[in-house]
Amino acid sequence: MIKTPLVFVATSDFAGKIRGKSFPLADLEKRSAKGVGWTPTNVQITCFDKIAETPFGSLGDLLLVPDAETLVDIDYGDGSPADRFVLGDIRELDGAPWSCCTRSILKQALKRLEDLGGVRLVAAFEHEFQLDAGSPAFGEAYTHSGFQQKRELAESLMAALGQAGMETDTFMNEYGPDQYEVTIDPTDGLRAADHAAVLREVTRSVARRCGERATFTPIRDPENVGNGVHIHMSFVDAQGIPATYDPAGPAGMSSVTGAFLAGVLKYLDSIVAFTAPSDVSYLRLTPHRWSAAYNNLGLRDREASLRICPTSAQDEAGIARQYNFEFRAGDAAASPYLALAAIVHAGAQGLQENLAAPPVTQEDLSLLSAEALKARGYTRLPEALPEALARFEHNDIARAWFPEGFAEVYLAHKRGELAYLDAMPPEERCAVYARVY
Ligand code: GLU
Ligand code: MG
């Protein structure tokens, strides 16, 4: 058959979906200058293919402009169609970033961090997902035989991620049924979010090629563990020198790290609407699922929202290079750009407010009474999406981090998503989210 190679230009939108349009690959240079036409109301397409209330109606025109540096072109070497797409920014016709472009919002957040803290963010997204080939794995958590059953998929995935420009790290079968995890190396903040967006698409694609279906849904079974997206972060200064660690700081935190983490914890209840933005995200954010339920910083504790990760180096310079912290209250219903932008803004706010480094916990906070939690400055994270949305809506400081008009559109989108679920019981909600993510 005759073919014109096409490239798909994509935006990661409020639903955390990768949406866009395709054009001939030969036009990439031309399109990188002029973009393709895009419609404002597209941002209100929820993950359930319904259009939420939109302030734009049928009006307006935007441009989705490819960033050619993000081009993914994976040849699977078996004659099957390539995975070929490029990420883009949504701009007004005059070239200004659009107020609801998630990638532009992240760029603005990273710039704010640089201006306030003199540091650049380095990040890596760690993803859990589940496979469904119709015969659930049983008794295979972390086993070699469980891994061996998926070796072909794992090896193709690692090769595909490599072709997409990522430095691959590990692949493992996790402890939930049919649950897997893939990790990649850290890179600068914007590229890390690009990589997260690409990794999800490529994982789904590789799974399909292996006759499986991958879902990144936050939780597939209300009675079991969820699929987290853990975001590892560290800082480098303007010269590229690690700036996260200070042996004299509390738990090794540099002053920038301490203030940043204090900001994230202070504003966490107002930003989970971006990091854990689905209805079922809140089934996952409950104690004893190794996710996150309180606004605490844990030292090597997998139930803390923020965790200082272990280092293995024996010398100070090596520790400084390895030292990083992890945000655990996130999932893949979120656009990686919006999730990271919200975290970075909250951290930058901590720098702006000159907050002191938070104390480090190594205990089960769910055992504390409400009074004891309050006395120590901890809060239970919102227990449902409507509450998370309301926390953002009523936090004027957090709203002001985003472009004018953004908050209203985002809130209407998410409320439209919730309206679709109406009176569905939790199992059914999990089932519909497992289909769309
Ligand atoms: N599955 C857990 C989550 O939902 C994380 C388990 C782990 O620490 O790897 O975040
Ligand atoms: Mg894991």
Side-chain angles (χ1 to χ4, degrees):
M1 231 192 304
I2 55 169
K3 279 184 192 157
T4 296
L6 296 176
V7 58
F8 188 95
V9 55
T11 176
S12 159
D13 67 4
F14 286 5
K17 290 271 180 183
I18 297 295
R19 296 189 216 264
K21 295 181 174 177
S22 73
F23 56 81
L25 179 60
D27 293 344
L28 181 56
E29 199 182 319
K30 191 173 81 193
R31 291 286 180 188
S32 297
K34 69 173 196 173
V36 298
W38 196 244
T39 308
T41 282
N42 286 357
V43 79
Q44 294 306 64
I45 306 173
T46 71
C47 62
F48 303 124
D49 277 350
K50 299 268 186 258
I51 299 182
E53 197 186 296
T54 165
F56 313 111
S58 59
L59 301 176
D61 282 290
L62 299 163
L63 297 169
L64 175 53
V65 186
D67 176 348
E69 278 187 27
T70 68
L71 179 67
V72 171
D73 196 347
I74 306 170
D75 177 355
Y76 287 88
D78 59 0
S80 65
D83 272 335
R84 187 182 305 113
F85 60 104
V86 63
L87 299 163
D89 297 327
I90 307 178
R91 302 206 183 131
E92 302 278 1
L93 300 184
D94 67 4
W98 185 45
S99 58
C100 295
C101 169
T102 61
R103 198 164 182 263
S104 306
I105 287 172
L106 176 58
K107 287 182 191 172
Q108 289 150 16
L110 293 168
K111 168 89 174 41
R112 179 170 174 231
L113 172 66
E114 252 184 273
D115 291 348
L116 281 166
V119 290
R120 283 186 292 119
L121 185 79
V122 175
F125 287 66
E126 173 184 318
H127 284 89
E128 293 171 340
F129 59 96
Q130 280 168 298
L131 292 173
D132 182 5
S135 54
F138 190 57
E140 295 291 11
Y142 282 103
T143 62
H144 174 254
S145 61
F147 167 74
Q148 192 59 24
Q149 287 165 36
K150 305 296 173 192
R151 178 183 284 275
E152 192 183 356
L153 186 151
E155 291 184 350
S156 302
L157 177 59
M158 293 307 234
L161 296 178
Q163 279 201 22
M166 292 170 224
E167 301 289 336
T168 49
D169 185 41
T170 60
F171 180 95
M172 69 197 80
N173 42 327
E174 259 272 7
Y175 67 90
D178 307 301
Q179 194 182 38
Y180 299 85
E181 177 177 309
V182 58
T183 62
I184 51 177
D185 280 358
T187 182
D188 72 82
L190 182 67
R191 280 306 278 158
D194 290 340
H195 282 170
V198 170
L199 181 144
R200 296 172 198 177
E201 291 301 289
V202 171
T203 305
R204 290 189 187 98
S205 174
V206 170
R208 268 194 305 274
R209 288 162 200 270
C210 295
E212 305 256 9
R213 191 181 170 276
T215 179
F216 286 83
T217 187
I219 188 162
R220 201 172 69 175
D221 172 359
E223 300 305 318
N224 219 311
V225 292
N227 295 307
V229 172
H230 303 159
I231 309 177
H232 290 260
M233 287 170 272
S234 58
F235 304 118
V236 291
D237 69 13
Q239 283 75 47
I241 296 169
T244 329
Y245 174 70
D246 178 349
M253 288 178 265
S254 68
S255 60
V256 167
T257 304
F260 184 94
L261 294 181
V264 175
L265 295 182
K266 178 171 174 184
Y267 291 95
L268 186 56
D269 66 331
S270 301
I271 64 165
V272 281
F274 298 102
T275 63
S278 76
D279 176 80
V280 296
S281 298
Y282 295 83
L283 295 173
R284 171 177 166 262
L285 293 185
T286 45
H288 309 142
R289 276 184 218 260
W290 288 25
S291 61
Y294 302 92
N295 63 337
N296 63 315
L297 170 66
L299 183 63
R300 303 190 207 149
D301 173 6
R302 288 185 177 74
E303 288 241 334
S305 293
L306 286 171
R307 175 175 94 114
I308 297 179
C309 299
T311 52
S312 58
Q314 302 302 320
D315 61 305
E316 288 293 332
I319 296 172
R321 264 196 314 277
Q322 291 181 349
Y323 190 90
N324 73 95
F325 53 88
E326 176 190 43
F327 180 93
R328 297 178 63 88
D331 63 51
S335 161
Y337 300 98
L338 274 188
L340 193 56
I343 295 165
V344 168
H345 271 304
Q349 189 67 31
L351 288 162
Q352 193 168 317
E353 295 177 22
N354 219 347
L355 299 180
V360 175
T361 57
Q362 276 185 302
E363 66 186 283
D364 182 355
L365 294 185
S366 73
L367 300 175
L368 299 186
S369 68
E371 298 78 60
L373 279 172
K374 199 166 169 224
R376 289 174 56 184
Y378 295 121
T379 45
R380 176 74 174 87
L381 298 183
E383 294 185 53
L385 182 58
E387 189 193 337
L389 294 171
R391 298 279 182 100
F392 170 65
E393 185 172 25
H394 298 119
N395 190 326
D396 292 339
I397 294 176
R399 282 176 74 127
W401 299 334
F402 296 91
E404 180 89 39
F406 163 87
E408 292 74 11
V409 183
Y410 186 78
L411 292 165
H413 178 118
K414 285 288 148 183
R415 287 172 178 151
E417 177 181 328
L418 286 168
Y420 175 86
L421 300 166
D422 193 28
M424 268 184 213
E427 297 72 25
E428 230 172 282
R429 289 171 187 234
C430 286
V432 290
Y433 276 107
R435 272 188 72 190
V436 301
Y437 288 113

